[in-house]
């Protein structure tokens, strides 16, 4: 049975599915009309968690008749939510990004089109138009209310580079390879990356797009066709950099945690990091960090080094259960979109927002610097909203293959295309 049929099945089928031992799956149990259940990725160590929990406490003080009950999950949130939806016990509001499983939620009725509420609640003017476009599906439905965004530049530790004799941030292929050799001669590494997870997947996609226009990149990542001239040249560029020693040794086995640790402890000179990660760079490393784009090869279709930007991070989705408590949902979202609440995420947590705000991330200089990059970098496509959910995890495996030394460009291309057939 397909996920579509499971998620839209009636309660009779849901009752037949074993849910024992999965308390999170029964998120809506016992939640009366004055209790709003929010399923969120905030609440543990995720950037902005402390601010979110404090904001919820403020909401309680302002609305003594309402209670927000948080259900916190990490990377498994989508799976947990789908299980709870199957039992018709899902949370009322879900805070998660647009990626993998969540791409299909509105289409299969697991969450609702929030367009009717956007103007009724006076929120259209609060949200950036670009964010609304990214969250609108091909059928014109607004999947959720956008909240978090991110700039995703490349961070360069200028002190490490200078110690190796590299006087300027690399912007070209030859400069990047020269810097790698200089760093290795000093016993250090240039680019650290989680070749075993999503950070490696994003950097691989970014490198491949050196020779791809936006429409060509969308085609490649939505169809799994990496046979165009630009895609093949991009893969060859990646392999050339890998074999020249640009990336960390054994990158194919590193994770995002490994990458952050290596950069934040000064063991690596370069990382491609989203703004929430830049906010966590220690002060002694941050003061020697400059942000920019990823260097280009000769013949690149972009005019400047590349970076990623997206508005598809955490948003507020409304579930079918949530429509039964729509007045409470409205009060909660109006509160979360208030200028003072939004400003707290910027000033306290260093989050980039998909919401209009005059607040500045003064405590997070790298986040502020990334936001000011503007046209000094060329934006490339974030593949997340284009990759079919069935291909997402196989693409992670293909990424590890790509970072494995000795893997030819042809084998990398075959691994990428095979990821789309595995689903």
């Amino acid at each position: 049975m397909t996920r579509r049929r499971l998620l839209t099945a009636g309660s009779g089928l849901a009752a037949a599915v074993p849910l024992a031992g999965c308390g999170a799956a029964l998120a809506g149990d016992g939640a009366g009309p004055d209790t709003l259940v929010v399923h969120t990725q905030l609440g543990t160590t995720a950037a902005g968690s402390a601010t979110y929990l404090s904001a919820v406490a403020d909401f309680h003080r302002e609305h003594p008749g309402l209670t927000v009950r948080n259900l916190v999950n990490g990377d498994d949130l989508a799976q947990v939510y789908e299980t709870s939806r199957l039992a018709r016990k899902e949370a009322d509001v879900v805070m998660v990004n647009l990626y993998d499983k969540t791409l299909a939620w509105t289409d299969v009725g697991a969450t609702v089109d929030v367009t009717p509420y956007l103007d009724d609640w006076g929120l259209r003017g609060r949200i950036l138009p670009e964010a609304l476009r990214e969250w609108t599906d091909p059928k014109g439905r607004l999947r959720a209310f956008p909240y978090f965004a991110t700039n995703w530049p490349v961070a360069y530790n200028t002190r490490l580079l200078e110690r190796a004799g590299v006087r300027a941030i690399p912007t070209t292929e030859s400069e990047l390879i020269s810097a790698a050799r200089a760093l290795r001669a000093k016993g250090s590494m240039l680019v650290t990356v989680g070749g075993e997870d999503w950070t490696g997947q994003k950097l691989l996609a970014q490198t491949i797009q050196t020779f791809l226009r936006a429409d060509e990149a969308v085609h490649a990542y939505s169809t799994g066709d990496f046979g165009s001239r630009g895609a093949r040249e991009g893969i060859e560029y990646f392999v050339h950099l890998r074999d020249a020693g640009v990336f960390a040794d054994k990158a194919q086995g590193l994770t995002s945690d490994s990458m952050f640790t290596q950069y934040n402890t000064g063991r690596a000179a370069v990382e491609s990091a989203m703004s929430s990660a830049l906010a966590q760079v220690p002060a002694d490393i941050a003061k020697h960090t400059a942000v920019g784009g990823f260097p280009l090869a000769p013949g690149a279709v972009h005019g400047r080094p590349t970076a990623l930007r997206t508005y598809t991070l955490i948003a507020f989705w409304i579930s079918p259960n949530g429509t039964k408590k729509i007045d409470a949902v409205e009060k909660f979202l109006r509160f979360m979109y208030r200028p003072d609440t939004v400003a707290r995420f910027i000033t306290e947590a260093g989050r980039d927002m998909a919401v209009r705000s005059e607040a500045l991330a003064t405590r997070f200089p790298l986040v502020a610097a990334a936001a000011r990059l503007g046209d000094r970098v060329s934006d490339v496509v974030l593949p997340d909203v284009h990759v079919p959910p069935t291909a997402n995890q196989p693409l992670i495996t293909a990424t590890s293959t790509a970072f494995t030394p000795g893997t030819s460009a042809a084998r990398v291309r075959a691994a990428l295309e095979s990821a789309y057939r595995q689903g």
Side-chain angles (χ1 to χ4, degrees), residues 6 12 53 77 101 142 149 189 208 213 238 243 259 262 275 299 301 307 315 322 340 366 373 383 399-400 404 416:
L6 278 171
L53 295 176
L77 185 149
K101 292 176 179 293
L142 183 62
M189 70 186 84
I208 290 175
R213 299 188 309 270
F238 171 84
D243 291 346
M259 182 184 86
Q262 288 180 343
S275 51
V301 300
D340 59 321
L366 298 184
L373 280 173
T399 297
S400 181
T404 302
L416 292 172

Side-chain angles (χ1 to χ4, degrees), residues 218-249:
V218 169
H219 171 79
Y221 279 95
S222 59
T223 65
D225 175 12
F226 293 88
S228 69
R229 177 178 177 180
R232 287 185 282 108
E233 289 180 341
I235 294 171
E236 289 167 0
Y237 179 41
F238 171 84
V239 169
H240 179 59
L241 296 180
R242 183 202 66 203
D243 291 346
V246 165
F247 306 117
D249 290 341

Side-chain angles (χ1 to χ4, degrees), residues 1-9 78-79 82 86 100-105 108 110 389-390:
M1 182 172 286
T2 65
R3 282 179 61 249
R4 174 186 292 270
R5 290 180 61 194
L6 278 171
L7 287 172
T8 56
Q79 185 62 51
E82 291 189 0
L86 181 61
D100 197 8
K101 292 176 179 293
T102 69
L103 289 167
W105 279 0
V108 301
T390 54

Side-chain angles (χ1 to χ4, degrees), residues 299-320:
V301 300
H302 303 284
R304 295 176 177 82
T306 62
L308 297 162
R309 290 189 178 101
T310 184
Y311 296 95
T312 56
L313 294 193
I314 287 178
F316 295 97
W317 308 64
I318 300 177
S319 76

Side-chain angles (χ1 to χ4, degrees), residues 38 62 76 89 99 103 174 197 256 262 309 337 341 343 388 406:
V38 179
E62 293 186 21
D76 60 340
K89 300 295 184 182
Y99 177 62
L103 289 167
S174 59
D197 66 12
S256 55
Q262 288 180 343
R309 290 189 178 101
Y337 279 87
T341 306

Side-chain angles (χ1 to χ4, degrees), residues 127-393:
I127 301 171
L128 297 173
E130 306 96 303
L132 291 174
R133 284 196 295 270
E134 289 195 13
W135 279 90
T136 299
D137 73 9
K139 296 180 180 178
R141 298 170 298 197
L142 183 62
R143 294 176 169 106
F145 291 95
Y147 206 60
F148 284 175
T150 190
N151 287 296
W152 202 320
V154 179
Y156 294 88
N157 186 321
T158 56
R159 180 170 56 184
L160 280 183
L161 291 173
E162 289 169 1
R163 286 177 177 174
V166 180
R167 301 302 177 187
I169 291 175
T171 59
T172 67
E173 172 189 7
S174 59
E175 291 172 354
L176 188 64
I177 292 174
S178 294
R181 291 171 178 165
L183 264 294
R184 286 183 177 276
K186 293 291 185 178
S188 187
M189 70 186 84
L190 186 61
V191 180
T192 178
V193 60
E196 193 180 30
D197 66 12
W198 55 274
T199 53
Q201 181 197 34
K202 301 303 182 292
L203 185 56
L204 173 61
Q206 184 174 349
T207 309
I208 290 175
Q209 289 182 66
T210 302
F211 299 96
L212 288 176
R213 299 188 309 270
D215 60 326
E216 295 172 326
V218 169
H219 171 79
Y221 279 95
S222 59
T223 65
D225 175 12
F226 293 88
S228 69
R229 177 178 177 180
R232 287 185 282 108
E233 289 180 341
I235 294 171
E236 289 167 0
Y237 179 41
F238 171 84
V239 169
H240 179 59
L241 296 180
R242 183 202 66 203
D243 291 346
V246 165
F247 306 117
D249 290 341
K250 300 180 180 178
Q252 72 275 17
L254 299 180
T255 65
S256 55
D257 287 342
S258 307
M259 182 184 86
F260 299 144
T261 298
Q262 288 180 343
Y263 188 84
N264 291 347
T265 56
R267 293 162 54 198
V270 180
E271 69 170 350
S272 173
M274 60 200 307
S275 51
S276 57
L278 294 176
Q280 305 301 315
V281 175
D284 61 326
I285 300 294
K287 68 182 179 181
H288 297 291
T289 293
V291 295
F294 194 78
L296 299 175
V301 300
H302 303 284
R304 295 176 177 82
T306 62
L308 297 162
R309 290 189 178 101
T310 184
Y311 296 95
T312 56
L313 294 193
I314 287 178
F316 295 97
W317 308 64
I318 300 177
S319 76
N321 275 346
T323 62
K324 302 171 187 176
K325 304 177 185 177
I326 203 64
D327 289 342
V329 173
E330 177 181 358
K331 288 183 175 67
F332 180 64
L333 290 193
R334 282 180 179 271
F335 175 86
M336 294 303 295
Y337 279 87
R338 274 184 359 196
D340 59 321
T341 306
V342 172
R344 291 188 60 187
F345 283 97
I346 299 171
T347 60
E348 296 176 12
R351 296 300 313 222
D352 280 314
M353 305 299 291
V355 187
R356 300 182 192 277
S357 178
E358 296 181 359
L360 300 174
T362 53
R363 290 173 50 196
F364 305 92
L366 298 184
V367 176
R372 292 194 299 266
L373 280 173
D375 61 5
R376 284 182 287 162
V377 293
S378 295
D379 291 349
V380 294
V381 172
L382 183 75
D384 292 11
V385 298
H386 305 292
V387 175
T390 54
N392 184 63
Q393 287 306 313

Side-chain angles (χ1 to χ4, degrees), residues 25 27-28 37 81 84-92 110 319-322:
V37 182
Y81 176 77
S84 63
R85 172 59 193 153
L86 181 61
R88 298 299 187 264
K89 300 295 184 182
E90 79 275 7
D92 305 307
S319 76
N321 275 346

